[in-house]
Amino acid sequence: MADPIKVDVWSDIACPWCFIGKRKFELGAAEAGIPVEVEYHSFELAPDTPVDFDGSEQDYLTSRGFPAEQIPQMLARVTGIAETVGLRYDYDALQHTNTVKAHQLIHWAKAQGHQLEMKERLLAAYFEEGRHVGREEDLADLAAEIGLDREDALSALREDRFLADVREDQALAQQLGIQGVPFFVFDGQYGVSGAQDPATFADVLRQVSEKRPEVAS
């Protein structure tokens, strides 16, 4: 069997399109029936966000320059699109926070061989459950919920043990010219931006697979 297609994904925990894009990519990969190896990379959309943001989603978006009167319709649209891929966004419960520690936790989980589970748990906690994903204690709780060592997770976060890995991801994104997320790179050669439809991801996987050199049996 051919080696799986490597898919590097830059995304942020606080990015609604990143969770939607994750689901759409998974559906596309299933449709294509082509093995993939996914690795997530850190990208902070708003690194200046405080750990404890005092306000609602409406307050946050207003502070970012979005017209207040347009925000309810905008959130309803995103929530509706999320529902089409089985996600239940709860913007009333959502707690805005800085995501650099969450990215460190994903790198820590990657070192344990559980990056994908940690990424999924963080996105669900943030968008669907109203959990806090910026504080060290809360993040360690989420690590424990997927069966990982809470105390080691907490220690890694307190020591910023994986901060250099986060910064390395961000530097690579800059080198590649990535300015928005989600951003998918297939086999280190083909870039796809945004939460594309599953059929688009399936087509890309087929094209990448077809362009690979023949492997002698």
Side-chain angles (χ1 to χ4, degrees), residues 112-139:
Q112 324 296 313
H114 293 280
Q115 187 197 41
L116 299 185
E117 298 97 319
M118 196 74 257
K119 178 75 172 182
E120 175 72 21
R121 187 70 196 93
L122 286 164
L123 286 165
Y126 184 73
F127 281 107
E128 299 185 310
E129 301 167 20
R131 301 278 292 274
H132 201 297
V133 300
R135 295 187 294 243
E136 293 166 351
E137 294 280 350
D138 297 86
L139 289 166

Side-chain angles (χ1 to χ4, degrees), residues 56-131:
S56 66
E57 175 72 3
Q58 176 99 14
D59 297 328
Y60 176 81
L61 292 173
T62 301
S63 75
R64 293 285 166 179
F66 290 91
E69 67 278 5
Q70 294 178 16
I71 292 172
Q73 182 181 359
M74 187 170 70
L75 295 180
R77 176 175 173 267
V78 174
T79 301
I81 293 171
E83 286 178 357
T84 67
V85 289
L87 302 176
R88 300 287 181 265
Y89 283 9
D90 186 351
Y91 278 111
D92 290 334
L94 187 148
Q95 298 186 66
H96 264 288
T97 186
N98 190 289
T99 60
V100 70
K101 290 286 184 178
H103 285 297
Q104 291 183 55
L105 185 67
I106 293 169
H107 276 282
W108 171 82
K110 176 185 171 185
Q112 324 296 313
H114 293 280
Q115 187 197 41
L116 299 185
E117 298 97 319
M118 196 74 257
K119 178 75 172 182
E120 175 72 21
R121 187 70 196 93
L122 286 164
L123 286 165
Y126 184 73
F127 281 107
E128 299 185 310
E129 301 167 20
R131 301 278 292 274

